[in-house]
Amino acid sequence: MPSLDPKLIRNFCIIAHIDHGKSTLADRMLQKTGVVDQRVMRDQYLDRMEIERERGITIKSQAVCLPWTSRGTRYTLNLIDTPGHVDFSYEVSRSLAACEGAVLLVDSAQGIEAQTLANLYLAMENDLDIIPVLNKIDLPAAQPDKYAEELAHLIGGSPDDCLRVSGKTGEGVEALLDAIVGRITPPGGDSSAPARALIFDSVYDTYRGVVTYVRVVDGHLAARQRIAMMSTKASHELLEIGVISPEPVATAGLGVGEVGYLITGVKDVRQSRVGDTVTGQDRPATIPLAGYRDPKPMVFSGLYPMDGSDYPALRDALDKLKLNDAALSYEPETSVALGFGFRCGFLGLLHLEIIRERLEREFGLDIISTAPNVVYTVTMEDGTEHNVTNPSEFPEGKVSAVREPIVRATILTPAEFTGAVMELCQQRRGVMLGMDYLSPDRLEMRYTLPLAEIVFDFFDQLKSKTRGYASLDYDPAGIQEADLVKVDILLQGEPVDAFSAIVHKEKAYSYGVMMVGRLRKLIPRQQFEVPIQAAIGSRVIARENVRALRKDVLAKCYGGDITRKRKLLEKQKEGKKRMKSIGRVEIPQEAFIAALVSEPDPKK
Amino acid sequence: MNTVPVARGDAGTGGTASGNEMVNAVPVARGDGGTGGTASGGRRFQIYIHVPYCYRRCGYCDFNTYVAPASQRNGFADLALRELELVADELDQRGERLGPTASVYFGGGTPSLLPAGDLGRMLRTVGRIFGLAAGAEVTTEANPDTVDAAYLALLADQGFTRISFGMQSAVPDVLRGLDRQHDPERVRQVVAAGRQTGLDGSVDLIYGTPGETLADWETSLRAALDLGVNHVSAYALTLEPHTPMARRIRRGELAPIDEDQQAEKYELADELLGGSGLNWYEISNWARAGHESQHNLGYWTGAQWWGIGPGAHSSIGSERFWNAKAPATWAAKVKSGELPLAGRDQPNAEGLELERVMLALRTVGGVALASLQPQAAQRVDALVADGLVQLADGRLSLTRRGRLLADTVTRHLTFI
């Protein structure tokens, strides 16, 4: 079966920071290549999910096939859209591995940001051809010359190599399409070898089941053929194969260098994992494509339904989301304070936030999420090891070592904030690895930081200390031993599981003081005094009291109006159903939630 | 505003605005209330008449009162008489009977802004329609500024037995804070005049006004005791959010109300009044034996009452209903020959039990242990252990600490 000549194919992605205009540029490319009719053009066509559209970011990558005629020759350009966030860096790496080139898109009013830089380095490591492009040249604040210098400094080459476009007006987009043809290497690969195709995305569709996005590296895949997943050895019949243009169009098959989708009828993205290699069942390849790894949750949080009766609905919703999200993990847990819920694992904070929002928006659930934490490895003196994903499950007894995950963080900041960033990183137990000037007034700083410090409000602090100018990227960098302790919060001597935290010994006191102070403000006065304590084991490190309520009576019922008073009590009676009891202390669920979600103490 | 019973048309319970059904048919006692009860087997019946006028609005007051010209005030009594007739017609049509009336209470507002003759006319009409029980208690509230010896004598002549003066405080700064104008000496004069005419006198006090010290409060309590009255009502200042005083607190112009200090003031009141022979019989009321306000007690112990006047509330059988709040609306309905009702509510069994406990607990008699639901009775021991209630003769009543936490106790005994 004749396939497209690889010489006429260009596979590329766009590396850009959130808001730097990637989706707008992609939309313009769809228009200029005639793939999408002006009439049906929606803004940001490729961002399909509602949340993506609202937040202006891309969560799941997609691929679209663009026909483009350059100097009389018709080419097929495959745009592989990459996720734009650090949480999804593995997915980014797989998307990059599916390309020969990358468009490095930078806002000409803002310059390059840390995530973009990290992805640029990743692209350079993958030997991709880089086309630097400055976007938003129509903006009055644009400084294309300045940032062209910066990009030339980063990539090598001359500032003149930098293209200038406006995704908004379409200016320069045709030149960019020509440059993609001219500057990006066509795909290589052996068309006669056994088939190998890289899965760079896998999406669950209610009607079609799992849609798998692939880039064929060697050989050929054809409709109705039996295929095998090299990591799981699972085999499926290829029900449909095709390209996205930008709606799916079935084809007879895909050959070397081509990008498209597969449908096998499987219902769970875990059966078709990003990074895995697809091969033919009859003539399988022996060596899978490099770089596959299992998605590993880095951040954990308890998700609880606000209304306890929604627990089954939450379970169903997580089951559904899991079909489309190989990185999401969860298992049931129970909290004294919050009832029945799930301990969920996420790739990072954004991933957590997105799942939360999808649960609320797509499934209509009201969700409480506990403060995010990382996974700790606790080694006991008797040599046993525990993986702790929920602080309240920190083992009792003699602990010999606690290990926590660390990350390599890259922070880009204007030079004037260097001191502030160093101070923040030091407070957060960071170890500096080095720093470099990107340009006379911009700095790249590299640190090793405990992931736990990053999930606790690091990004917000970084933004506020640098007036929003600094950007952050990080990558897992293993684990380290640290002096970590579990701090419990007790009400009238009873521990409240949802508030337990694992913190560095030096910060245990300030955490304890902050938490008991916060609870003292939130817990309503009871008819008796309620002591609130923070403790490490049996040692109390902070204490506050909620004074006993002295007066809870109406002076009078205003002459005949007993109805008002009764209705008030009836309302309280209704509200009592949402009260949680810790020992004899009754606490409105709202107070628990407020204590869990309040902003961390700004003094920190 | 003067003293205890002031109907609240807004009621927070909705009235017409929150979709409560408009009432045209009058709910009538069926004698099945089962709460309270009297020797004759029927329930005590009493009448409340709300006079919605004041010279001026006080900054703390959320009551249904209006500053109206004398011409409008002068028309009030005729409208109230008309309303009483409408009630009578309705009862006739249904072949139902309420009465005789065990007590009549004129509250406001400032009933003493009306000519004494007007109050007398209303009282006579109540007597004609419902009958007045022998020894019926007839009270009016009075502002010390609006009455004199002649006025009080006229009231006594027409059958009034009791007068409740709005004293509020004996400390000029505190009175000013309450927008009250009277001279503390004036209170002494009118209380003495009332006593001479044979009216049983009471004074109302308010504690917890922003800026009032504990010493100020003690001064007021001692001044009230010096008057030699047999009855004192002492109410903690409670502000509704939309009153001018509440707004001034929100703007930071006045200190916020300190409920802990109010609790301390309550304890001081109970100490001083009790020490002078005025014993508490309801959370905010103290009296010498035999001088308790029967009308006031009726509210807490299951009496039925019909409220006349704008915004007045009624409790008949298991029905609760209330009049239109705005005087103009009320007047228009009465003039058109329609009962001026604005809303009604009929609590279910659970609601009635909640109401019974929440009201009866406020009195010295408390509730009978045997009358409580089994789950509630199980919680009594813990309440006793916490020092909130005491048990005697099979009845459960509030301790002093428990009185300050009466709502907490009610919740424990009714949130099953």
Side-chain angles (χ1 to χ4, degrees):
Chain A
M1 183 176 313
S3 290
L4 198 57
D5 181 353
K7 289 192 185 62
L8 301 179
I9 299 173
R10 298 293 183 274
N11 293 324
F12 73 104
C13 58
I14 303 175
I15 296 173
H17 188 70
I18 298 164
D19 291 341
H20 282 204
K22 179 173 72 172
S23 298
T24 311
L25 177 63
D27 289 347
R28 214 54 66 214
M29 288 178 165
L30 294 182
Q31 272 179 304
K32 296 277 183 196
T33 55
V35 171
V36 178
D37 195 293
Q38 189 74 37
R39 280 180 302 112
V40 302
M41 189 72 204
R42 291 179 296 193
D43 276 349
Q44 306 192 352
Y45 194 93
L46 292 179
D47 284 354
R48 288 173 180 226
M49 283 200 282
E50 193 188 349
I51 296 174
E52 291 186 353
R53 291 170 68 77
E54 239 167 60
R55 295 188 160 209
I57 57 168
T58 312
I59 299 161
K60 299 292 283 187
S61 54
Q62 302 279 353
V64 63
C65 178
L66 310 168
W68 183 245
T69 301
S70 183
R71 296 182 191 181
T73 307
R74 192 179 150 92
Y75 293 87
T76 296
L77 313 185
N78 291 308
L79 165 57
I80 295 174
D81 202 17
T82 55
H85 193 273
V86 51
D87 283 4
F88 305 101
S89 57
Y90 172 66
E91 296 188 342
V92 176
S93 78
R94 295 307 84 205
S95 296
L96 295 180
C99 301
E100 279 76 29
V103 169
L104 172 64
L105 185 72
V106 171
D107 186 323
S108 58
Q110 295 184 57
I112 196 162
E113 308 266 358
Q115 281 160 22
T116 320
L117 189 65
N119 289 340
L120 170 65
Y121 288 154
L122 207 53
M124 288 163 78
E125 278 166 29
N126 278 288
D127 289 327
L128 299 198
D129 300 313
I130 311 290
I131 303 177
V133 176
L134 289 165
N135 192 18
K136 307 196 189 179
I137 52 167
D138 54 302
L139 288 183
Q143 294 177 277
D145 294 340
K146 174 181 171 184
Y147 292 116
E149 286 280 353
E150 198 175 276
L151 291 180
H153 175 76
L154 281 170
I155 307 166
S158 142
D160 296 334
D161 297 340
C162 213
L163 301 187
R164 298 173 185 204
V165 305
S166 165
K168 192 172 157 201
T169 64
E171 184 184 347
V173 174
E174 290 172 8
L176 172 58
L177 289 163
D178 284 340
I180 288 166
V181 170
R183 293 200 211 170
I184 293 177
T185 314
D190 182 351
S191 59
S192 58
R196 290 199 300 174
L198 172 68
I199 299 179
F200 62 86
D201 200 3
S202 187
V203 178
Y204 177 78
D205 178 285
T206 321
Y207 301 104
R208 315 293 313 267
V210 173
V211 179
T212 302
Y213 291 85
V214 296
R215 146 76 195 265
V216 178
V217 175
D218 291 322
H220 185 270
L221 293 173
R224 314 313 301 183
Q225 172 185 3
R226 275 204 85 79
I227 55 163
M229 302 296 170
M230 290 187 75
S231 78
T232 60
K233 312 285 182 236
S235 102
H236 309 282
E237 187 186 345
L238 208 44
L239 300 179
E240 184 177 320
I241 188 166
V243 296
I244 307 285
S245 186
E247 301 298 338
V249 179
T251 62
L254 294 174
V256 169
E258 285 192 277
V259 171
Y261 68 91
L262 312 175
I263 290 171
T264 62
V266 304
K267 296 290 182 208
D268 181 343
V269 290
R270 278 166 181 69
Q271 293 173 279
S272 191
R273 292 173 178 248
V274 170
D276 203 352
T277 303
V278 180
T279 190
Q281 173 86 337
D282 294 344
R283 193 182 155 224
T286 47
I287 302 168
L289 297 164
Y292 172 74
R293 68 175 199 239
D294 274 328
K296 195 170 144 217
M298 298 292 287
V299 172
F300 291 81
S301 167
L303 298 190
Y304 291 84
M306 193 81 85
D307 177 347
S309 65
D310 280 343
Y311 176 77
L314 175 58
R315 189 187 50 220
D316 291 351
L318 285 170
D319 286 345
K320 286 208 179 76
L321 287 181
K322 192 177 172 175
L323 295 177
N324 199 12
D325 190 339
L328 173 67
S329 68
Y330 52 93
E331 54 185 56
E333 74 172 5
T334 319
S335 155
V336 175
L338 302 170
F340 291 102
F342 293 91
R343 173 82 5 192
C344 302
F346 304 95
L347 294 171
L349 289 177
L350 180 75
H351 189 208
L352 185 165
E353 194 56 28
I354 287 165
I355 293 294
R356 226 192 100 107
E357 271 195 47
R358 292 189 65 186
L359 289 170
E360 297 194 334
R361 197 175 305 198
E362 293 169 31
F363 298 91
L365 293 164
D366 276 337
I367 299 292
I368 309 164
S369 54
T370 62
N373 60 272
V374 301
V375 56
Y376 298 94
T377 313
V378 182
T379 310
M380 309 301 286
E381 281 185 355
D382 64 9
T384 53
E385 271 203 359
H386 304 267
N387 275 334
V388 177
T389 56
N390 179 348
S392 69
E393 285 164 9
F394 197 86
E396 307 281 331
K398 297 238 182 262
V399 170
S400 72
V402 184
R403 278 183 286 272
E404 62 176 342
I406 52 173
V407 297
R408 275 175 64 103
T410 305
I411 296 164
L412 298 196
T413 177
E416 57 182 305
F417 301 116
T418 313
V421 173
M422 286 171 81
E423 197 189 345
L424 174 66
C425 290
Q426 244 157 36
Q427 279 170 8
R428 299 306 180 92
R429 301 189 280 134
V431 176
M432 188 184 256
L433 299 171
M435 54 192 246
D436 288 301
Y437 279 90
L438 296 180
S439 60
D441 55 357
R442 290 231 300 167
L443 216 59
E444 177 192 345
M445 303 168 76
R446 292 180 302 278
Y447 273 90
T448 300
L449 279 157
L451 178 61
E453 297 287 344
I454 293 207
V455 302
F456 185 72
D457 158 54
F458 182 85
F459 191 61
D460 289 345
Q461 287 294 310
L462 180 66
K463 283 287 176 192
S464 80
K465 285 182 193 298
T466 60
R467 281 194 260 125
Y469 283 112
S471 57
L472 166 76
D473 186 74
Y474 57 87
D475 262 324
I479 58 175
Q480 70 177 15
E481 196 172 319
D483 206 354
L484 299 167
V485 293
K486 178 194 180 200
V487 178
D488 288 316
I489 303 294
L490 301 93
L491 291 184
Q492 273 207 328
E494 301 259 350
V496 188
D497 52 14
F499 296 132
S500 292
I502 295 167
V503 294
H504 193 262
K505 206 168 181 179
E506 281 172 16
K507 293 183 176 172
Y509 174 74
S510 61
Y511 174 80
V513 168
M514 183 267 297
M515 210 60 203
V516 298
R518 188 185 282 176
L519 285 169
R520 186 182 62 78
K521 291 193 196 106
L522 289 168
I523 293 176
R525 292 167 74 181
Q526 319 268 315
Q527 76 217 42
F528 39 81
E529 184 179 89
V530 179
I532 308 168
Q533 296 164 307
I536 301 170
S538 56
R539 187 164 59 89
V540 173
I541 56 170
R543 180 186 165 118
E544 292 263 12
N545 281 325
V546 178
R547 283 182 301 144
L549 180 65
R550 291 202 59 192
K551 178 171 172 281
D552 177 26
V553 59
L554 202 63
K556 54 172 141 181
C557 274
Y558 303 111
D561 187 5
I562 51 177
T563 302
R564 183 188 199 207
K565 173 77 176 154
R566 174 175 53 78
K567 297 230 162 171
L568 200 69
L569 281 164
E570 282 174 346
K571 215 166 136 193
Q572 292 172 353
K573 189 171 179 175
E574 204 45 48
K576 191 179 153 66
K577 291 178 189 155
R578 285 181 292 114
M579 292 285 227
K580 305 281 181 184
S581 295
I582 305 290
R584 283 184 77 200
V585 186
E586 292 201 330
I587 303 167
Q589 184 159 316
E590 299 79 59
F592 268 119
I593 296 160
L596 285 172
V597 304
S598 336
E599 290 300 306
D601 192 338
K603 285 197 297 283
K604 286 189 76 80
Chain B
M1 157 271 181
N2 237 323
T3 54
V4 190
V6 172
R8 301 169 39 95
D10 67 337
T13 56
T16 52
S18 73
N20 270 309
E21 182 184 337
M22 289 294 293
V23 190
N24 290 313
V26 184
V28 169
R30 286 179 293 273
D32 61 352
T35 55
T38 63
S40 66
R43 286 161 65 189
R44 179 186 165 87
F45 176 70
Q46 49 194 40
I47 291 276
Y48 172 70
I49 297 179
H50 185 74
V51 181
Y53 306 115
C54 283
Y55 269 132
R56 54 178 302 183
R57 294 255 6 202
C58 303
Y60 63 91
C61 179
D62 179 49
F63 301 164
N64 192 25
T65 65
Y66 302 84
V67 177
S71 57
Q72 193 181 329
R73 297 202 301 265
N74 291 342
F76 178 81
D78 287 331
L79 287 166
L81 299 183
R82 187 81 198 277
E83 185 182 357
L84 284 163
E85 300 287 358
L86 290 169
V87 174
D89 290 350
E90 182 68 29
L91 291 173
D92 280 351
Q93 269 180 27
R94 300 186 150 224
E96 302 275 349
R97 215 183 109 66
L98 288 171
T101 314
S103 57
V104 183
Y105 196 107
F106 292 81
T110 311
S112 57
L113 273 183
L114 299 186
D118 278 3
L119 297 181
R121 277 202 292 147
M122 290 187 268
L123 176 59
R124 284 191 294 280
T125 304
V126 169
R128 176 166 57 73
I129 292 173
F130 298 100
L132 271 186
E137 176 189 276
V138 181
T139 309
T140 184
E141 296 177 348
N143 181 327
D145 288 337
T146 63
V147 293
D148 55 19
Y151 188 96
L152 296 172
L154 198 48
L155 288 179
D157 286 350
Q158 297 180 98
F160 282 75
T161 66
R162 205 173 163 273
I163 185 151
S164 173
F165 292 106
M167 171 177 171
Q168 321 309 7
S169 172
V171 178
D173 279 353
V174 176
L175 282 172
R176 235 185 325 276
L178 291 168
D179 294 328
R180 304 301 291 226
Q181 294 167 311
H182 59 252
D183 172 1
E185 179 53 30
R186 172 87 188 165
V187 178
R188 173 174 304 281
Q189 293 163 6
V190 293
V191 168
R195 189 180 302 119
Q196 275 173 4
T197 62
L199 292 170
D200 204 2
S202 172
V203 291
D204 270 17
L205 297 172
I206 292 178
Y207 59 93
T209 307
E212 184 195 52
T213 63
L214 200 61
D216 287 339
W217 175 230
E218 184 170 347
T219 301
S220 294
L221 284 165
R222 292 198 185 281
L225 286 169
D226 284 349
L227 296 171
V229 289
N230 294 319
H231 187 283
V232 172
S233 303
Y235 298 109
L237 180 68
T238 310
L239 290 179
E240 294 299 324
H242 56 272
T243 53
M245 189 182 279
R247 276 197 292 272
R248 292 185 60 198
I249 289 174
R250 280 200 295 279
R251 288 198 298 259
E253 294 166 20
L254 289 176
I257 299 224
D258 178 349
E259 295 216 0
D260 286 356
Q261 203 206 42
Q262 286 191 336
E264 221 172 308
K265 287 176 176 169
Y266 181 87
E267 287 164 357
L268 180 65
D270 197 45
E271 203 64 50
L272 292 182
L273 296 171
S276 301
L278 273 70
N279 296 312
W280 85 277
Y281 70 94
E282 191 275 334
I283 281 170
S284 303
N285 290 280
W286 289 259
R288 275 182 225 291
H291 293 273
E292 298 85 1
S293 163
Q294 296 306 313
H295 187 90
N296 193 359
L297 269 177
Y299 287 130
W300 317 114
T301 52
Q304 306 190 85
W305 63 90
W306 201 298
I308 300 295
H313 278 246
S314 304
S315 176
I316 303 290
S318 59
E319 303 254 19
R320 313 288 171 258
F321 49 93
W322 47 91
N323 281 352
K325 185 179 176 187
T329 313
W330 168 80
K333 285 203 175 189
V334 171
K335 280 178 193 159
S336 71
E338 191 187 331
L339 279 172
L341 301 185
R344 59 177 282 188
D345 189 55
Q346 182 146 19
N348 58 18
E350 202 182 336
L352 286 173
E353 171 63 5
L354 173 61
E355 183 189 276
R356 180 187 78 89
V357 173
M358 114 191 157
L359 296 173
L361 257 188
R362 296 179 64 98
T363 64
V364 68
V367 294
L369 191 56
S371 71
L372 293 174
Q373 293 167 273
Q375 292 106 308
Q378 280 167 19
R379 296 177 186 169
V380 169
D381 285 348
L383 293 171
V384 172
D386 279 348
L388 298 176
V389 301
Q390 60 212 359
L391 282 170
D393 302 332
R395 294 190 77 82
L396 171 140
S397 61
L398 296 171
T399 60
R400 183 189 284 170
R401 188 167 116 77
R403 276 183 261 156
L404 281 165
L405 294 170
D407 288 357
T408 305
V409 177
T410 299
R411 283 192 282 272
H412 280 288
L413 295 179
T414 56
F415 288 11
I416 304 299

